[in-house]
Amino acid sequence: MTYNYKNRHSHINIRKKSLSIVKKINKLAYNSTFVYPLVIKDGQGCYLEDIDGEQYLDFTSNIASCPLGYNHPELKKIIKKYGDVGAHKIAGQDFYCEEHCQLAEKLLSISNSNSKVFFINSGAEAVENAIKLAYRRKGPLPGIACINAFHGRTLGALAFTFSKDVQKINFPELPVKRIKFCISDNEPEIDLINDIASEYKVSFIILELVQGEGGVNVASKKFVNNLNNTSIKYDIPLIIDEIQTGLGRTGRWWTYQHYGIKPSILTIAKALQVGAVVFDKKFEPSKPGVLSSTWGGGSRIDMAIGIKTIDIINKEKILEKVNKSGNFLKKRLNELKNSSDLIMDVRGLGLMLGVEFHKKVIRNKVINRLFTNKLLVLPAGVKTIRILPPLVITDEEMSKGLDIFEKVLKEINN
Ligand SMILES: Cc1ncc(COP(=O)(O)O)c(C=O)c1O
């Protein structure tokens, strides 16, 4: 038996237990960014189960934060191990713990071993601390950020987020200069960064190489080169935000490796389970205490899971797999685009893909119908669907999801 529930976009049928929780939460808690009336009970591999026992194929990885899917046996072992550790929620800021040291070592070995790292709880906090490091060195000057960027919702990070009006209205801003995010080498604004840097003093440039929330927009190589060259020429720190794209999502450890550049400061979170800022040693404040937080680094379990996640990506050769799986998905999505009038564009890198529709209403309808057919995807930008499956997804699971996609497009077309 199902019940009709109206979410932001349209009506969806859900079952009894889910409906009761969703209704209660809506009364008790702020209605944040819920996409579906999905109440999660458990997960296995690339599937999530709701409290009514329905199974959903997950093409979201909890916005890229569950790269190994759910219930990975090696991660489960870690959780069990820490179940027996009394002091399990100790973050490495006021006291030391071994996991802090191991995660730092592991993370620097796959990014930049000449750098240093600072751990913090979330992605937005990683961005806060990255910009603080840049301000500390350059002074409180404007930062340069891109239109359609998403760098988080804390007030500092939010100043450099330009994704949706609703995220920003009535909140005070840090000084910022906005530039167009160029997706093609031929855009007229591609050299604008040089004019800005030669005319104004600025404290940093912050950039996602593939904008996630903004619509899965892939930066043009020339654009990124220009930003990188300007950063070097004028000694402006280049902060690369890999909170969504990092740790293998696009088929390399870091998306900046696709562009042949090196960030001055790198922000990481989500898949790592803790927020992190990796920075060139010249940004290290000369005094201790400039950066800290009670729960910085999350907890020992989170750090241990982050360490194991890196090990598993290495051991299971997941980066190679991501490239193959990404090509497979992209090819089939392009076939769907060619056979449907609804889709405008398919784009992305590795297992971070976007399907842009001609109309927002159609995009929303597709998302809801996919949910009804037990496939989870996320919205991005104005009229794009974002596809971020667990990196361990199999060919069969991808085919199953794509078949659902095809069926839904046909239903809507008719
Ligand atoms: C690129 C990017 N930066 C920053 C953030 C903020 O991370 P968090 O939600 O952990 O604060 C996100 C979250 O989606 C993101 O995608």
Side-chain angles (χ1 to χ4, degrees):
M1 171 101 180
T2 59
Y3 298 84
N4 195 276
Y5 172 78
K6 185 172 183 323
N7 76 353
R8 240 182 284 179
H9 307 312
S10 68
H11 292 265
I12 292 187
N13 286 337
I14 54 172
R15 289 176 58 190
K16 200 172 170 186
K17 278 192 191 164
S18 300
L19 182 69
S20 111
I21 295 291
V22 169
K23 276 188 167 172
K24 243 189 205 168
I25 287 188
N26 285 346
K27 271 199 197 134
L28 297 170
Y30 170 61
N31 188 343
S32 178
T33 50
F34 297 112
V35 182
Y36 309 107
L38 169 67
V39 186
I40 293 167
K41 180 180 157 206
D42 204 351
Q44 181 64 49
C46 294
Y47 285 88
L48 281 170
E49 184 187 334
D50 76 4
I51 51 167
D52 287 296
E54 301 284 349
Q55 301 282 335
Y56 295 82
L57 180 54
D58 180 22
F59 273 17
T60 76
S61 311
N62 197 21
I63 333 182
S65 54
C66 298
L68 304 177
Y70 305 99
N71 216 8
H72 192 289
E74 294 203 44
L75 297 187
K76 225 175 149 183
K77 271 192 217 156
I78 302 261
I79 294 162
K80 277 201 177 135
K81 180 179 148 194
Y82 280 86
D84 284 333
V85 176
H88 62 276
K89 196 163 168 79
I90 296 285
Q93 306 273 326
D94 289 334
F95 307 116
Y96 294 96
C97 69
E98 207 179 2
E99 294 79 358
H100 189 160
C101 179
Q102 289 166 345
L103 183 57
E105 196 170 31
K106 198 131 276 187
L107 193 57
L108 294 179
S109 77
I110 57 166
S111 52
N112 188 347
S113 37
N114 288 323
S115 297
K116 277 199 158 182
V117 65
F118 173 73
F119 292 118
I120 195 78
N121 297 288
S122 65
E125 287 173 284
V127 170
E128 292 291 327
N129 286 285
I131 63 179
K132 278 170 95 175
L133 288 172
Y135 284 137
R136 188 86 184 171
R137 186 151 183 274
K138 304 291 291 185
L141 302 163
I144 298 177
C146 289
I147 292 168
N148 292 329
F150 188 86
H151 298 295
R153 294 165 184 270
T154 50
L155 283 173
L158 187 64
F160 306 98
T161 286
F162 297 110
S163 173
K164 295 193 179 81
D165 284 350
V166 68
Q167 296 160 354
K168 291 174 76 82
I169 290 170
N170 261 15
F171 299 136
E173 298 253 303
L174 289 170
V176 55
K177 299 218 170 283
R178 303 172 197 198
I179 54 169
K180 178 145 195 281
F181 181 88
C182 296
I183 55 170
S184 128
D185 290 352
N186 304 320
E187 297 194 44
E189 297 87 351
I190 205 150
D191 296 319
L192 190 65
I193 185 68
N194 244 317
D195 302 345
I196 294 178
S198 59
E199 215 169 305
Y200 303 96
K201 282 197 171 346
V202 292
S203 48
F204 57 84
I205 302 167
I206 184 163
L207 175 75
E208 293 161 277
L209 293 164
V210 182
Q211 292 184 327
E213 159 79 13
V216 194
N217 309 311
V218 183
S220 103
K221 285 238 157 90
K222 188 171 168 201
F223 175 60
V224 174
N225 250 334
N226 280 348
L227 294 182
N228 188 46
N229 291 341
T230 306
S231 145
I232 295 165
K233 181 169 169 194
Y234 293 95
D235 187 28
I236 305 168
L238 179 61
I239 303 173
I240 298 290
D241 180 347
E242 296 246 22
I243 287 163
Q244 195 162 149
T245 52
L247 226 67
R249 171 62 48 194
T250 65
R252 308 283 295 263
W253 280 113
W254 312 108
T255 305
Y256 68 75
Q257 295 171 309
H258 289 287
Y259 289 85
I261 60 159
K262 275 206 174 139
S264 329
I265 303 176
L266 170 68
T267 56
I268 309 158
K270 294 184 185 280
L272 190 66
Q273 309 301 302
V274 300
V277 191
V278 172
F279 52 93
D280 189 296
K281 283 179 187 158
K282 69 182 176 201
F283 293 97
E284 183 173 22
S286 53
K287 291 185 182 148
V290 173
L291 315 177
S292 185
S293 156
T294 305
W295 295 118
S299 67
R300 297 173 77 186
I301 304 179
D302 293 333
M303 289 192 265
I305 293 180
I307 296 164
K308 191 48 103 181
T309 300
I310 295 174
D311 286 345
I312 295 170
I313 293 176
N314 251 330
K315 197 172 90 187
E316 296 183 8
K317 299 197 172 9
I318 286 179
L319 299 182
E320 281 167 38
K321 211 177 120 33
V322 168
N323 285 308
K324 276 195 205 136
S325 303
N327 289 339
F328 178 86
L329 265 182
K330 207 174 189 180
K331 183 167 174 277
R332 278 260 337 248
L333 288 170
N334 267 313
E335 284 163 17
L336 292 183
K337 179 187 138 211
N338 295 338
S339 62
S340 162
D341 295 336
L342 305 175
I343 299 176
M344 194 177 123
D345 190 27
V346 171
R347 54 182 179 259
L349 262 185
L351 282 175
M352 180 165 184
L353 297 169
V355 179
E356 182 167 2
F357 288 79
H358 288 286
K359 290 186 183 152
K360 183 177 180 173
V361 282
I362 299 291
R363 188 274 312 261
N364 293 345
K365 207 169 179 179
V366 172
I367 289 183
N368 277 353
R369 293 269 183 105
L370 292 176
F371 175 71
T372 308
N373 284 274
K374 310 282 184 289
L375 176 67
L376 305 176
V377 294
L378 288 168
V382 179
K383 48 192 171 65
T384 298
I385 280 180
R386 182 169 22 164
I387 296 177
L388 304 164
L391 308 183
V392 291
I393 193 162
T394 62
D395 289 357
E396 293 73 42
E397 287 161 342
M398 285 190 285
S399 296
K400 183 172 169 187
L402 288 159
D403 290 347
I404 296 174
F405 219 106
E406 185 169 10
K407 173 178 165 249
V408 163
L409 290 176
K410 276 189 188 145
E411 281 171 11
I412 292 179
N413 246 341
N414 289 332

